[in-house]
Amino acid sequence: MDGLEAIQASIDAVFERVNVRVHAELTWLYWQVGRILQRQEESTLSELARQLCQEYGKVWNASQLGYCLRAARVFSEEEMREAVSAQISWSHMRR
């Protein structure tokens, strides 16, 4: 392996570790948001989404909050901790 290949391999390895960690953190965040939403009235979901979209961007729309709520309803805290530690990405919950 020449110098360029060694550098590329190092960069690729770090990017992969960062990607896995980001997915794990987002999965945990979405589940936590869902747990908070469980304590809210269903009618406030659209208003919360509107406010979150203004502050944090379109990713926090009502559909996303619905996914968060679903994750909290489906998975216990223990299951979610196991999923995060196993580095399962958020996308598997959308199915």
Side-chain angles (χ1 to χ4, degrees):
M1 183 181 298
D2 68 8
L4 175 61
E5 289 173 340
I7 292 168
Q8 289 171 322
S10 293
I11 291 169
D12 290 343
V14 168
F15 282 171
E16 179 60 28
R17 288 193 309 269
V18 167
N19 187 40
V20 167
R21 187 64 188 175
V22 166
H23 280 291
E25 291 293 337
L26 286 174
T27 300
W28 182 248
L29 172 63
Y30 296 150
W31 181 83
Q32 288 178 312
V33 168
R35 294 288 289 205
I36 294 166
L37 291 174
Q38 285 181 316
R39 298 188 298 262
Q40 305 293 314
E41 290 185 31
E42 199 75 29
S43 62
T44 64
L45 191 69
S46 294
E47 179 57 24
L48 286 170
R50 187 189 66 73
Q51 292 173 345
L52 289 169
C53 283
Q54 283 182 333
E55 182 77 21
Y56 298 104
K58 293 178 184 179
V59 70
W60 290 103
N61 61 36
S63 293
Q64 180 64 32
L65 295 184
Y67 290 129
C68 294
L69 189 55
R70 179 176 173 219
R73 287 178 176 157
V74 171
F75 298 103
S76 69
E77 183 170 350
E78 181 179 335
E79 289 171 320
M80 189 53 60
R81 286 186 188 280
E82 288 174 11
V84 169
S85 68
Q87 310 301 318
I88 296 175
S89 79
W90 171 241
S91 61
H92 81 283
M93 289 193 219
R94 292 185 180 217
R95 294 186 196 138

mmCIF file of all heavy atoms in Angstrom, residues 3 15 18-19 21-22 29 33 35 39 42 47 55 60 67-68 71-73 75 78 82 84 87-88:
data_model
loop_
_atom_site.group_PDB
_atom_site.id
_atom_site.type_symbol
_atom_site.label_atom_id
_atom_site.label_comp_id
_atom_site.label_asym_id
_atom_site.label_seq_id
_atom_site.Cartn_x
_atom_site.Cartn_y
_atom_site.Cartn_z
ATOM 1 N N GLY A 3 1.552 5.517 -0.059
ATOM 2 C CA GLY A 3 1.164 6.593 0.851
ATOM 3 C C GLY A 3 -0.260 7.064 0.647
ATOM 4 O O GLY A 3 -1.025 7.250 1.598
ATOM 5 N N PHE A 15 -14.287 8.102 8.656
ATOM 6 C CA PHE A 15 -15.618 8.478 8.174
ATOM 7 C C PHE A 15 -16.643 7.407 8.521
ATOM 8 O O PHE A 15 -17.772 7.720 8.910
ATOM 9 C CB PHE A 15 -15.608 8.730 6.670
ATOM 10 C CG PHE A 15 -15.041 10.059 6.258
ATOM 11 C CD1 PHE A 15 -14.800 10.327 4.923
ATOM 12 C CD2 PHE A 15 -14.730 11.053 7.184
ATOM 13 C CE1 PHE A 15 -14.285 11.553 4.522
ATOM 14 C CE2 PHE A 15 -14.216 12.279 6.798
ATOM 15 C CZ PHE A 15 -13.993 12.527 5.459
ATOM 16 N N VAL A 18 -17.435 7.612 12.271
ATOM 17 C CA VAL A 18 -18.237 8.807 12.537
ATOM 18 C C VAL A 18 -19.676 8.571 12.080
ATOM 19 O O VAL A 18 -20.629 8.887 12.803
ATOM 20 C CB VAL A 18 -17.629 10.046 11.845
ATOM 21 C CG1 VAL A 18 -18.603 11.213 11.837
ATOM 22 C CG2 VAL A 18 -16.322 10.438 12.516
ATOM 23 N N ASN A 19 -19.852 8.013 10.901
ATOM 24 C CA ASN A 19 -21.183 7.743 10.370
ATOM 25 C C ASN A 19 -21.971 6.816 11.298
ATOM 26 O O ASN A 19 -23.138 7.074 11.607
ATOM 27 C CB ASN A 19 -21.075 7.141 8.969
ATOM 28 C CG ASN A 19 -22.410 6.996 8.301
ATOM 29 O OD1 ASN A 19 -23.273 7.858 8.412
ATOM 30 N ND2 ASN A 19 -22.593 5.889 7.608
ATOM 31 N N ARG A 21 -21.507 6.322 14.499
ATOM 32 C CA ARG A 21 -21.792 7.030 15.752
ATOM 33 C C ARG A 21 -22.924 8.042 15.587
ATOM 34 O O ARG A 21 -23.796 8.166 16.454
ATOM 35 C CB ARG A 21 -20.522 7.714 16.269
ATOM 36 C CG ARG A 21 -20.655 8.331 17.613
ATOM 37 C CD ARG A 21 -20.916 7.271 18.643
ATOM 38 N NE ARG A 21 -21.238 7.910 19.897
ATOM 39 C CZ ARG A 21 -21.611 7.290 20.972
ATOM 40 N NH1 ARG A 21 -21.701 5.985 20.977
ATOM 41 N NH2 ARG A 21 -21.885 7.941 22.062
ATOM 42 N N VAL A 22 -22.919 8.766 14.480
ATOM 43 C CA VAL A 22 -23.975 9.744 14.224
ATOM 44 C C VAL A 22 -25.327 9.037 14.131
ATOM 45 O O VAL A 22 -26.316 9.482 14.724
ATOM 46 C CB VAL A 22 -23.687 10.564 12.947
ATOM 47 C CG1 VAL A 22 -24.909 11.330 12.487
ATOM 48 C CG2 VAL A 22 -22.520 11.516 13.190
ATOM 49 N N LEU A 29 -31.749 9.979 19.977
ATOM 50 C CA LEU A 29 -32.464 11.255 20.028
ATOM 51 C C LEU A 29 -33.912 11.094 19.582
ATOM 52 O O LEU A 29 -34.830 11.583 20.245
ATOM 53 C CB LEU A 29 -31.766 12.302 19.158
ATOM 54 C CG LEU A 29 -32.517 13.626 18.969
ATOM 55 C CD1 LEU A 29 -32.699 14.355 20.300
ATOM 56 C CD2 LEU A 29 -31.795 14.493 17.954
ATOM 57 N N VAL A 33 -37.216 11.889 21.803
ATOM 58 C CA VAL A 33 -38.254 12.821 21.363
ATOM 59 C C VAL A 33 -39.612 12.116 21.388
ATOM 60 O O VAL A 33 -40.606 12.680 21.848
ATOM 61 C CB VAL A 33 -37.933 13.386 19.962
ATOM 62 C CG1 VAL A 33 -39.125 14.113 19.367
ATOM 63 C CG2 VAL A 33 -36.716 14.307 20.025
ATOM 64 N N ARG A 35 -40.535 9.686 23.303
ATOM 65 C CA ARG A 35 -40.968 9.538 24.701
ATOM 66 C C ARG A 35 -41.579 10.837 25.216
ATOM 67 O O ARG A 35 -42.587 10.818 25.927
ATOM 68 C CB ARG A 35 -39.781 9.132 25.588
ATOM 69 C CG ARG A 35 -39.207 7.768 25.313
ATOM 70 C CD ARG A 35 -40.135 6.704 25.779
ATOM 71 N NE ARG A 35 -40.120 6.703 27.236
ATOM 72 C CZ ARG A 35 -40.408 5.682 27.991
ATOM 73 N NH1 ARG A 35 -40.765 4.553 27.449
ATOM 74 N NH2 ARG A 35 -40.364 5.766 29.290
ATOM 75 N N ARG A 39 -46.166 12.107 26.120
ATOM 76 C CA ARG A 39 -46.780 12.862 27.221
ATOM 77 C C ARG A 39 -47.560 14.079 26.738
ATOM 78 O O ARG A 39 -48.169 14.781 27.533
ATOM 79 C CB ARG A 39 -45.699 13.272 28.226
ATOM 80 C CG ARG A 39 -44.995 12.087 28.879
ATOM 81 C CD ARG A 39 -44.069 12.525 29.995
ATOM 82 N NE ARG A 39 -42.985 13.380 29.542
ATOM 83 C CZ ARG A 39 -41.747 12.970 29.284
ATOM 84 N NH1 ARG A 39 -41.432 11.704 29.399
ATOM 85 N NH2 ARG A 39 -40.826 13.832 28.912
ATOM 86 N N GLU A 42 -52.123 14.577 21.338
ATOM 87 C CA GLU A 42 -51.960 14.303 19.907
ATOM 88 C C GLU A 42 -52.179 15.561 19.060
ATOM 89 O O GLU A 42 -51.512 15.778 18.057
ATOM 90 C CB GLU A 42 -52.947 13.214 19.485
ATOM 91 C CG GLU A 42 -52.616 12.529 18.199
ATOM 92 C CD GLU A 42 -51.468 11.540 18.300
ATOM 93 O OE1 GLU A 42 -51.238 10.960 19.370
ATOM 94 O OE2 GLU A 42 -50.805 11.358 17.284
ATOM 95 N N GLU A 47 -48.356 21.560 15.829
ATOM 96 C CA GLU A 47 -47.800 22.820 16.328
ATOM 97 C C GLU A 47 -46.352 22.637 16.774
ATOM 98 O O GLU A 47 -45.494 23.492 16.491
ATOM 99 C CB GLU A 47 -48.651 23.374 17.471
ATOM 100 C CG GLU A 47 -48.134 24.675 18.058
ATOM 101 C CD GLU A 47 -47.991 25.812 17.049
ATOM 102 O OE1 GLU A 47 -48.669 25.822 16.010
ATOM 103 O OE2 GLU A 47 -47.180 26.720 17.320
ATOM 104 N N GLU A 55 -37.061 26.313 14.096
ATOM 105 C CA GLU A 55 -35.805 26.379 14.866
ATOM 106 C C GLU A 55 -34.704 25.490 14.286
ATOM 107 O O GLU A 55 -33.542 25.880 14.254
ATOM 108 C CB GLU A 55 -36.086 25.967 16.311
ATOM 109 C CG GLU A 55 -34.903 26.027 17.236
ATOM 110 C CD GLU A 55 -34.545 27.433 17.684
ATOM 111 O OE1 GLU A 55 -35.408 28.321 17.619
ATOM 112 O OE2 GLU A 55 -33.387 27.632 18.103
ATOM 113 N N TRP A 60 -37.644 18.174 11.130
ATOM 114 C CA TRP A 60 -38.490 17.975 12.316
ATOM 115 C C TRP A 60 -39.967 18.215 11.994
ATOM 116 O O TRP A 60 -40.711 18.724 12.809
ATOM 117 C CB TRP A 60 -38.014 18.865 13.464
ATOM 118 C CG TRP A 60 -36.713 18.369 13.978
ATOM 119 C CD1 TRP A 60 -35.489 18.891 13.727
ATOM 120 C CD2 TRP A 60 -36.506 17.219 14.788
ATOM 121 N NE1 TRP A 60 -34.524 18.131 14.334
ATOM 122 C CE2 TRP A 60 -35.124 17.090 14.996
ATOM 123 C CE3 TRP A 60 -37.364 16.272 15.359
ATOM 124 C CZ2 TRP A 60 -34.575 16.061 15.755
ATOM 125 C CZ3 TRP A 60 -36.819 15.246 16.107
ATOM 126 C CH2 TRP A 60 -35.437 15.155 16.293
ATOM 127 N N TYR A 67 -42.645 9.381 13.363
ATOM 128 C CA TYR A 67 -41.674 8.283 13.443
ATOM 129 C C TYR A 67 -41.079 8.192 14.850
ATOM 130 O O TYR A 67 -40.886 7.102 15.394
ATOM 131 C CB TYR A 67 -40.545 8.462 12.431
ATOM 132 C CG TYR A 67 -40.958 8.272 10.995
ATOM 133 C CD1 TYR A 67 -40.637 9.235 10.038
ATOM 134 C CD2 TYR A 67 -41.662 7.148 10.583
ATOM 135 C CE1 TYR A 67 -41.004 9.078 8.713
ATOM 136 C CE2 TYR A 67 -42.037 6.978 9.253
ATOM 137 C CZ TYR A 67 -41.705 7.943 8.326
ATOM 138 O OH TYR A 67 -42.066 7.785 7.007
ATOM 139 N N CYS A 68 -40.784 9.335 15.421
ATOM 140 C CA CYS A 68 -40.233 9.362 16.777
ATOM 141 C C CYS A 68 -41.226 8.758 17.765
ATOM 142 O O CYS A 68 -40.856 7.939 18.617
ATOM 143 C CB CYS A 68 -39.901 10.795 17.190
ATOM 144 S SG CYS A 68 -38.582 11.563 16.245
ATOM 145 N N ALA A 71 -41.382 5.012 17.365
ATOM 146 C CA ALA A 71 -40.225 4.346 17.962
ATOM 147 C C ALA A 71 -40.397 4.215 19.470
ATOM 148 O O ALA A 71 -40.099 3.164 20.055
ATOM 149 C CB ALA A 71 -38.950 5.115 17.642
ATOM 150 N N ALA A 72 -40.893 5.262 20.103
ATOM 151 C CA ALA A 72 -41.075 5.235 21.558
ATOM 152 C C ALA A 72 -42.176 4.261 21.966
ATOM 153 O O ALA A 72 -42.104 3.653 23.030
ATOM 154 C CB ALA A 72 -41.389 6.637 22.073
ATOM 155 N N ARG A 73 -43.173 4.115 21.118
ATOM 156 C CA ARG A 73 -44.263 3.185 21.425
ATOM 157 C C ARG A 73 -43.850 1.737 21.213
ATOM 158 O O ARG A 73 -44.293 0.842 21.921
ATOM 159 C CB ARG A 73 -45.481 3.496 20.561
ATOM 160 C CG ARG A 73 -46.191 4.762 20.975
ATOM 161 C CD ARG A 73 -47.357 5.059 20.069
ATOM 162 N NE ARG A 73 -48.086 6.243 20.537
ATOM 163 C CZ ARG A 73 -48.850 6.985 19.758
ATOM 164 N NH1 ARG A 73 -49.013 6.670 18.479
ATOM 165 N NH2 ARG A 73 -49.465 8.033 20.262
ATOM 166 N N PHE A 75 -40.511 0.450 21.031
ATOM 167 C CA PHE A 75 -39.302 -0.020 21.696
ATOM 168 C C PHE A 75 -39.234 0.466 23.138
ATOM 169 O O PHE A 75 -39.434 1.653 23.409
ATOM 170 C CB PHE A 75 -38.048 0.464 20.951
ATOM 171 C CG PHE A 75 -37.961 -0.060 19.548
ATOM 172 C CD1 PHE A 75 -38.264 0.753 18.472
ATOM 173 C CD2 PHE A 75 -37.577 -1.366 19.309
ATOM 174 C CE1 PHE A 75 -38.191 0.281 17.178
ATOM 175 C CE2 PHE A 75 -37.507 -1.854 18.018
ATOM 176 C CZ PHE A 75 -37.814 -1.026 16.945
ATOM 177 N N GLU A 78 -34.782 -0.257 27.267
ATOM 178 C CA GLU A 78 -33.743 -1.287 27.199
ATOM 179 C C GLU A 78 -33.499 -1.722 25.754
ATOM 180 O O GLU A 78 -32.349 -1.845 25.317
ATOM 181 C CB GLU A 78 -34.141 -2.496 28.038
ATOM 182 C CG GLU A 78 -33.097 -3.587 28.039
ATOM 183 C CD GLU A 78 -33.506 -4.771 28.897
ATOM 184 O OE1 GLU A 78 -34.304 -4.592 29.836
ATOM 185 O OE2 GLU A 78 -33.013 -5.871 28.621
ATOM 186 N N GLU A 82 -30.028 -1.188 23.569
ATOM 187 C CA GLU A 82 -29.379 -2.297 22.863
ATOM 188 C C GLU A 82 -29.222 -1.986 21.381
ATOM 189 O O GLU A 82 -28.180 -2.270 20.788
ATOM 190 C CB GLU A 82 -30.183 -3.580 23.044
ATOM 191 C CG GLU A 82 -30.093 -4.151 24.435
ATOM 192 C CD GLU A 82 -31.017 -5.345 24.638
ATOM 193 O OE1 GLU A 82 -31.582 -5.861 23.636
ATOM 194 O OE2 GLU A 82 -31.184 -5.758 25.793
ATOM 195 N N VAL A 84 -29.030 0.969 19.952
ATOM 196 C CA VAL A 84 -28.013 2.008 19.775
ATOM 197 C C VAL A 84 -26.630 1.411 19.962
ATOM 198 O O VAL A 84 -25.716 1.693 19.187
ATOM 199 C CB VAL A 84 -28.265 3.194 20.730
ATOM 200 C CG1 VAL A 84 -27.079 4.141 20.761
ATOM 201 C CG2 VAL A 84 -29.526 3.943 20.306
ATOM 202 N N GLN A 87 -25.477 -0.256 17.063
ATOM 203 C CA GLN A 87 -25.280 0.672 15.946
ATOM 204 C C GLN A 87 -26.301 0.468 14.832
ATOM 205 O O GLN A 87 -25.983 0.562 13.650
ATOM 206 C CB GLN A 87 -23.867 0.545 15.369
ATOM 207 C CG GLN A 87 -22.754 0.602 16.380
ATOM 208 C CD GLN A 87 -22.739 1.898 17.178
ATOM 209 O OE1 GLN A 87 -22.942 2.950 16.616
ATOM 210 N NE2 GLN A 87 -22.486 1.819 18.450
ATOM 211 N N ILE A 88 -27.543 0.205 15.194
ATOM 212 C CA ILE A 88 -28.605 0.083 14.200
ATOM 213 C C ILE A 88 -28.996 1.477 13.745
ATOM 214 O O ILE A 88 -29.218 2.355 14.556
ATOM 215 C CB ILE A 88 -29.823 -0.649 14.789
ATOM 216 C CG1 ILE A 88 -29.441 -2.080 15.144
ATOM 217 C CG2 ILE A 88 -30.999 -0.614 13.830
ATOM 218 C CD1 ILE A 88 -30.521 -2.849 15.838
#
